[in-house]
């Protein structure tokens, strides 16, 4: 009997990835393609949904090459919580002043709507209690309001369909307009079982969203992993190289897919603090360009400055609180590449690791060890250099997108040693930001005993160790390092009905 597989597709900030995954949760193949990011003006970041879908098709064809199409039982998508705008005929609508139709995605990290977000917060509407009391410019209502106020003729009046990017992908695959509860609850203020609150949209000046039972933003919802439509349409199947009718699961936001991929891990025998305790004693940290801190609970917990509680947004039947840092990997890159000694760093790293595939961060980690008299003293090297890491605002728990970053303790020296120390101090600042989020969650009733990390930064041993040191918590890394792709594949496995629930599909 031929082995069966599931395909997970992950659309991150700068790339699209796919994985072919076995029933046992083992990655057999992966593929990756980069996607374009445009910055037409400060704090405006846009992408193309046409390009993103083309890259999805390319990577899926890559990982399934040579297989019998019927061996692939299900497909799952996750993506960043970016806003996709389409017209009545589902064609792209421009989201920038230049009117380029292909640039129809307002990215998650786009902060153009900071002023609109502040106005929405000022309304004090009751739905804000589900987002930590403060509306973030990274959520969809302020972005919609910005489009109406600033691009009414070229965008707002032509737009008929607003999708979160994960829902756009599942629609493109199946033709189903059903939205995932993950996206609508976490980023759009949808609240099951009541649904949309029309008074909120009216109070912020978006009463036109109510038309035709909220059809522009989603009238029908379902839990992540539920099968959508009749599976892949003929057109999507041809583009992806798969069989028509292949099951497609309702999607997840990328961070939530990562959380799903790690938070239920079997840790028996490792003598961890969370062993023999409920899953609610674990926090999943998905660390990449930004970092998301995912904690779940059996009862709703309201944490000031932290998004949620959101029911069934990641694990069905559980309440999710989501903290986060808007720039982590991106901040580390910014600090390192902007330093005068960066060129010297590149040259030194190339000399030391010419063939090993090592990167500049491996070199910096090694350089810091050489600077320290003992391994444990690496932490103390930056004791007189301090970074405030909110270069792109503070998502949690201060929930202030206007905050800026700073560095204290600089001298006139600009050596490679100074660059290494700035790199260390930046990681330490991010780790203490995580501690700040943990303290806010603990004060609200969470009992988090262990951190489960995944994402690109979790592959950096210094980042992992500094987080353990700063928080005083045990840190767990997945055996399969691509937890986000595993989480996406779980959605396809659940949709195939080979498994009864997401929890069963995700069970190691």
């Amino acid at each position: 009997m031929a082995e069966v597989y599931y395909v997970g597709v992950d659309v991150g900030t700068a790339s699209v990835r796919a994985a072919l995954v076995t029933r046992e949760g083992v990655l057999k193949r992966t593929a990756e393609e980069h996607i374009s990011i445009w910055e037409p003006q400060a704090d405006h970041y846009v992408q193309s949904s046409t390009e993103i879908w083309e890259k999805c098709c390319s990577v899926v064809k890559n990982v399934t090459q040579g297989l019998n199409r019927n061996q692939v039982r299900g497909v799952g998508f996750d993506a960043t919580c970016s806003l996709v705008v389409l017209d009545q005929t589902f064609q792209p609508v421009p989201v920038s002043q230049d009117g380029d139709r292909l640039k129809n995605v307002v990215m998650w990290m786009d902060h153009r709507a900071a002023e609109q977000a502040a106005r929405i917060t000022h309304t004090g509407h009751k739905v804000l209690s589900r987002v930590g009391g403060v509306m973030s410019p990274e959520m969809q209502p302020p972005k919609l309001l910005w489009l109406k106020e600033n691009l009414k003729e070229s965008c707002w009046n032509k737009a008929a369909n607003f999708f979160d990017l994960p829902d756009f992908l599942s629609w493109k695959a199946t033709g189903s307009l059903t939205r995932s509860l993950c996206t609508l609850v976490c980023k759009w203020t949808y609240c099951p079982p009541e649904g949309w609150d029309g008074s909120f949209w009216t109070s912020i000046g978006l009463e036109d969203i109510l038309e035709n039972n909220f059809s522009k933003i989603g009238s029908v919802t379902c839990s992540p992993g539920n099968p959508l439509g009749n599976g892949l349409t003929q057109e999507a199947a041809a583009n992806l190289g798969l069989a028509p009718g292949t099951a497609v699961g309702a999607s997840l936001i990328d961070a939530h897919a990562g959380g799903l991929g790690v938070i239920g891990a079997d840790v028996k025998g490792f003598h961890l603090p969370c062993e023999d305790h409920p899953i609610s004693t674990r926090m999943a940290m998905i660390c990449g360009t930004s970092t998301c801190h995912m904690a779940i609970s059996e009862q709703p917990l309201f944490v000031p400055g932290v998004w949620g509680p959101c029911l069934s947004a990641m694990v069905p039947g559980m309440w999710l609180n989501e903290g986060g840092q808007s720039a982590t990997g991106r901040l580390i890159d910014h600090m390192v590449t902007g330093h005068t000694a960066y060129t010297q760093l590149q040259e030194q790293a190339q000399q030391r690791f010419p063939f090993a595939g090592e990167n500049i961060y491996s070199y910096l980690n090694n350089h810091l060890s050489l600077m320290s008299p003992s391994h444990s003293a690496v932490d103390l090297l930056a004791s007189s250099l301090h970074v405030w890491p909110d270069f792109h605002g503070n998502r949690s728990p201060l929930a202030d997108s206007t905050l800026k970053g700073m560095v204290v303790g600089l001298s006139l020296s600009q050596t490679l040693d100074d660059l290494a120390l700035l790199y260390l101090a930046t990681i330490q600042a991010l780790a203490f930001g995580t501690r700040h989020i943990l303290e806010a969650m603990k004060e609200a009733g969470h009992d988090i005993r262990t951190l489960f990390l995944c994402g690109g930064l979790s592959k950096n041993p210094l980042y992992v160790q500094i987080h353990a040191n700063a928080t005083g918590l045990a840190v767990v890394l997945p055996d399969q390092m691509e937890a986000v792709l595993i989480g996406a594949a779980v959605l396809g496995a659940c949709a195939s009905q080979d498994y009864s629930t997401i929890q069963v599909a995700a069970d190691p």
Side-chain angles (χ1 to χ4, degrees), residues 231-464:
L232 289 178
T233 64
Q234 292 280 350
E235 180 181 0
N239 290 335
L240 292 163
L242 299 175
T246 300
V248 177
S251 53
L252 282 168
I253 298 167
D254 55 348
H256 300 62
L260 180 64
V262 296
I263 204 164
D266 181 1
V267 295
K268 284 187 175 64
F270 288 93
H271 308 295
L272 290 164
C274 63
E275 193 171 337
D276 300 323
H277 287 279
I279 195 173
S280 56
T281 61
R282 307 175 178 194
M283 173 185 278
M285 279 181 58
I286 299 81
C287 347
T289 304
S290 61
T291 294
C292 297
H293 303 74
M294 325 290 279
I296 55 177
S297 57
E298 293 184 359
Q299 300 299 324
L301 297 174
F302 294 83
V303 187
V306 171
W307 298 343
C310 303
L311 181 61
S312 299
M314 186 171 76
V315 178
M318 301 287 282
W319 294 87
L320 172 71
N321 284 109
E322 179 187 349
Q325 295 163 303
S326 295
T328 50
R330 186 169 170 230
L331 177 62
I332 295 169
D333 289 343
H334 174 77
M335 300 295 260
V336 171
T337 61
H339 196 277
T340 302
Y342 177 61
T343 302
Q344 181 188 356
L345 168 64
Q346 289 179 299
E347 293 169 354
Q348 297 279 357
Q350 179 63 29
Q351 288 175 20
R352 183 172 178 82
F353 305 116
F355 308 111
E358 297 279 352
N359 59 27
I360 57 172
Y361 295 114
S362 298
Y363 182 88
L364 283 171
N365 292 350
N366 184 69
H367 190 80
L368 286 165
S369 295
L370 296 175
M371 290 173 64
S372 171
S374 68
H375 182 72
S376 61
V378 167
D379 289 41
L380 302 178
L381 288 174
S383 58
S384 60
L385 184 64
H386 309 287
V387 174
W388 182 260
D390 296 334
F391 284 55
H392 199 51
N394 182 288
R395 187 188 296 170
S396 309
L398 301 180
D400 187 347
S401 65
T402 68
L403 287 179
K404 307 298 180 188
M406 69 179 164
V407 183
V408 177
L410 292 172
S411 71
L412 292 175
S413 179
Q414 295 180 322
T415 66
L416 187 54
D417 282 0
D418 296 305
L419 170 50
L421 292 177
L422 182 61
Y423 162 69
L424 172 61
T426 301
I427 292 178
Q428 290 175 330
L430 294 171
F432 278 104
T434 290
R435 178 170 163 171
H436 195 186
I437 292 167
L438 281 164
E439 288 170 349
M441 288 191 173
K442 183 177 181 180
E443 193 171 330
H446 281 283
D447 178 24
I448 295 162
R449 303 180 181 210
T450 310
L451 302 180
F452 287 70
L453 269 59
C454 66
L457 284 177
S458 71
K459 299 170 187 177
N460 182 333
L462 182 68
Y463 179 90
V464 174

Side-chain angles (χ1 to χ4, degrees), residues 48-50 52-53 82 84-86 90 104-105 163-174 176 179 251:
S48 164
S49 66
T50 302
I52 289 169
W53 178 250
S82 300
V84 182
V85 186
L86 305 178
F90 296 95
N104 68 317
V105 179
F163 289 94
D164 221 273
L165 183 54
D167 289 321
F168 165 81
L169 297 173
S170 58
W171 164 75
K172 195 74 175 168
T174 66
S176 171
R179 308 301 213 272
S251 53

Side-chain angles (χ1 to χ4, degrees), residues 146-167:
W146 188 96
L147 293 174
K148 180 176 182 178
E149 293 178 346
N150 293 275
L151 297 176
K152 190 162 188 180
E153 293 300 321
S154 62
C155 177
W156 187 258
N157 290 345
K158 296 177 181 178
N161 298 279
F162 298 102
F163 289 94
D164 221 273
L165 183 54
D167 289 321

Side-chain angles (χ1 to χ4, degrees), residues 9-33:
V9 182
D10 164 49
V11 179
T13 299
S15 68
V16 176
R17 303 183 302 155
L20 185 70
V21 182
T22 68
R23 278 185 184 271
E24 294 73 35
V26 177
L27 270 70
K28 299 295 285 187
R29 301 178 193 164
T30 62
E32 182 173 9
E33 298 241 8

